[in-house]
Amino acid sequence: MGEAERPKVRARIVDSSCSYLKFSTIVPAFRGRHSSSVRMAITPAYYVDEEELMSLKSLVDGEGEVDEMYQDMDEAFRILLRKAAELETNEEAPSVETLDWAEDLEDAVVEAAAFLADQVEGIRRGVAALALRPGEEALVEELRRHAVLSEAQRADAVAVVAAMRRLRERCLRGLAAREHITDPLPPRFVGYVEDTIKYPSWPEGCGVPTPEALAAAAVAEDAAVQEEERMARLAGSLRRGAAEFAARPGEEALAAALERHAASADATRATVEAFTASVRRFQATGKPAP
């Protein structure tokens, strides 16, 4: 692991309300190291090339930083498990935001668990090779310690994945039971911006919209694009859940409800896309929307 990667591996973000934790900031560093550990994992036992040997020795040479990384990841996993447990027992109706959070974290930690499994296998192969070299006893012993730590964290990651899947399923069941779950741009906001674009206050005889109208259009475009992305993600999450439930006997009605909500999210996204197009026409031509 290079010096530049260690801070990324340690990174974790908890917002001020402690209601959201981004584990995805850790994953890019996993990706950076993942190829090396995979390469090590498929190397025949009792052989380690120089690049792999340097990677193994960096775990020992940077022992303090690596131990700090393990501690940070332990803390991140504890936070995730605690937050998932709180949300699972929360009596409030499951929200789209909670579904999004659980799905994000599940996918990120699945990748982390795979990385950790590859790292354990890579270290063990390295130990098997280095144990045959005289004078490497201390390195071998330290690497065995790292293998134990990585295996323990892999087990923690598996527990987090299971917790996120339970939470995601709870959210999907709750959302499926609701009549409507899409929440597009606030109607008053859309109406205000449409009025601003349709009937802008143009300087007399100038034929161009006012700076205020263009500023409102820019705000509207940004909000609409974010809503398009949100609806696309929601539809994808609902269809993912529908496919999972459809594979379970007796869950056909639940899968169908999720498919209906996904279609509704698609329709909402199409409406917002049309609104975005009208805003962009106004920005490009200065003409009121038709």
Side-chain angles (χ1 to χ4, degrees):
M1 177 175 57
E3 292 296 327
E5 296 300 325
R6 290 193 175 106
K8 297 179 184 178
V9 175
R10 292 197 302 268
R12 68 196 186 281
I13 302 174
V14 185
D15 77 352
S16 58
S17 64
C18 201
S19 64
Y20 186 84
L21 186 147
K22 281 185 178 291
F23 194 81
S24 57
T25 52
I26 298 176
V27 175
F30 286 166
R31 292 195 186 101
R33 299 176 60 198
H34 191 79
S35 59
S36 175
S37 61
V38 169
R39 188 167 57 248
M40 192 182 301
I42 63 175
T43 300
Y46 312 116
Y47 174 79
V48 179
D49 66 26
E50 288 306 310
E51 180 183 354
E52 292 159 354
L53 181 59
M54 289 178 63
S55 179
L56 287 171
K57 287 184 175 180
S58 72
L59 289 174
V60 178
D61 294 340
E63 181 176 345
E65 292 185 3
V66 173
D67 284 345
E68 185 179 347
M69 177 192 74
Y70 285 127
Q71 292 169 8
D72 285 351
M73 290 178 64
D74 283 341
E75 182 182 352
F77 286 142
R78 284 196 298 271
I79 291 172
L80 289 174
L81 286 170
R82 184 170 64 248
K83 187 62 186 177
E86 291 173 1
L87 292 171
E88 277 190 271
T89 57
N90 192 332
E91 295 182 357
E92 295 181 4
S95 66
V96 171
E97 290 73 22
T98 301
L99 172 63
D100 193 48
W101 182 81
E103 186 173 72
D104 266 352
L105 270 296
E106 179 185 341
D107 292 344
V109 182
V110 163
E111 186 173 349
F115 162 79
L116 289 165
D118 284 340
Q119 176 165 281
V120 169
E121 179 64 17
I123 292 174
R124 287 174 177 167
R125 287 181 178 272
V127 165
L130 291 170
L132 301 176
R133 299 186 181 186
E136 298 286 11
E137 292 80 6
L139 176 58
V140 166
E141 188 62 28
E142 187 61 22
L143 288 173
R144 283 177 175 152
R145 184 180 75 87
H146 283 291
V148 170
L149 291 172
S150 294
E151 176 57 31
Q153 289 198 328
R154 186 202 64 79
D156 288 343
V158 170
V160 171
V161 169
M164 291 301 158
R165 283 179 179 163
R166 289 194 303 270
L167 179 59
R168 184 165 62 88
E169 179 171 326
R170 178 178 182 272
C171 289
L172 289 167
R173 289 184 182 278
L175 293 173
R178 288 165 55 176
E179 185 176 358
H180 301 290
I181 63 173
T182 56
D183 180 24
L185 291 169
R188 290 182 182 177
F189 175 74
V190 174
Y192 166 74
V193 177
E194 284 182 335
D195 287 344
T196 302
I197 295 173
K198 190 173 263 187
Y199 308 107
S201 176
W202 294 356
E204 186 175 353
C206 184
V208 296
T210 63
E212 291 79 9
L214 288 174
V219 171
E221 181 188 16
D222 183 63
V225 167
Q226 290 183 43
E227 189 67 11
E228 289 174 26
E229 294 172 351
R230 193 172 78 90
M231 287 297 105
R233 179 172 180 80
L234 174 59
S237 297
L238 294 170
R239 289 196 170 96
R240 173 181 175 176
E244 292 170 353
F245 284 116
R248 304 182 190 178
E251 298 283 19
E252 294 82 4
L254 177 58
L258 292 172
E259 286 286 359
R260 286 195 298 272
H261 282 314
S264 178
D266 287 339
T268 298
R269 179 165 58 91
T271 299
V272 177
E273 285 175 343
F275 171 71
T276 307
S278 71
V279 173
R280 287 172 174 164
R281 281 195 302 271
F282 173 74
Q283 290 173 310
T285 67
K287 295 179 180 179

